[in-house]
Amino acid sequence: MRQGQEYTAWGFSLELCRVLFDALARSAPSLAAEIDSLYAGRVAHYVRSREPCADGSLPESRREEKFLDLQVPIHDCGTLEEALRRLVQPEPLDGDNRWHCEELGRKVDALKGVDVVALPGLLCLQLLRPVPPLPC
């Protein structure tokens, strides 16, 4: 397989699994719960202010979603453990990239990150490596 085709083949296999899981869940609803208990986890994407409200709480925007495979960037990581730590390491939003906090009514320094809320019975990891640029 040539470089570039492997990404297409990998993406195709992931999409095929999702389509199969969806078809199984529609054809037999009892399977949907079984598939979720085996393969579905939950993550929460958040942006959290570094500046507290008057009551001392930190304002936060948070959105949870289901995942069937956890996508883990592995670029410049020596081990899978290091890559997983980086995955949940929050990114600072400061300077020109500050977050507009509705509660405080202004732009503030914040942290943007991902929390793993629930792991599935069978954790599937998709190891994301950098895609080299295509030659011109």
Side-chain angles (χ1 to χ4, degrees):
M1 190 175 294
R2 290 189 323 232
Q3 189 176 19
Q5 281 185 326
E6 66 183 275
Y7 299 108
T8 302
W10 176 249
F12 175 77
S13 65
L14 287 175
E15 187 61 26
L16 179 62
C17 282
R18 287 188 181 97
V19 168
L20 287 173
F21 286 165
D22 287 345
L24 285 170
R26 279 194 307 274
S27 66
S30 62
L31 284 177
E34 194 63 33
I35 289 170
D36 276 356
S37 72
L38 288 174
Y39 293 101
R42 296 202 62 75
V43 292
H45 300 272
Y46 67 86
V47 179
R48 183 177 304 127
S49 173
R50 288 183 161 180
E51 299 178 29
C53 291
D55 65 2
S57 65
L58 294 175
E60 178 179 84
S61 172
R62 188 176 189 87
R63 176 181 49 85
E64 282 195 24
E65 68 182 16
K66 178 175 96 169
F67 70 87
L68 296 176
D69 53 65
L70 194 57
Q71 298 181 358
V72 183
I74 60 171
H75 181 67
D76 289 337
C77 293
T79 65
L80 178 58
E81 182 178 347
E82 181 183 351
L84 289 168
R85 286 186 198 281
R86 269 199 207 167
L87 177 69
V88 297
Q89 181 70 35
E91 167 192 352
L93 300 178
D94 51 23
D96 289 341
N97 197 26
R98 298 174 82 189
W99 174 56
H100 179 77
C101 175
E102 296 290 330
E103 285 183 59
L104 296 173
R106 58 182 158 67
K107 288 193 170 197
V108 297
D109 289 345
L111 294 173
K112 177 183 175 183
V114 175
D115 285 333
V116 178
V117 176
L119 291 172
L122 297 171
L123 178 60
C124 296
L125 299 177
Q126 181 181 357
L127 304 179
L128 303 176
R129 58 185 184 201
V131 177
L134 295 174
C136 296

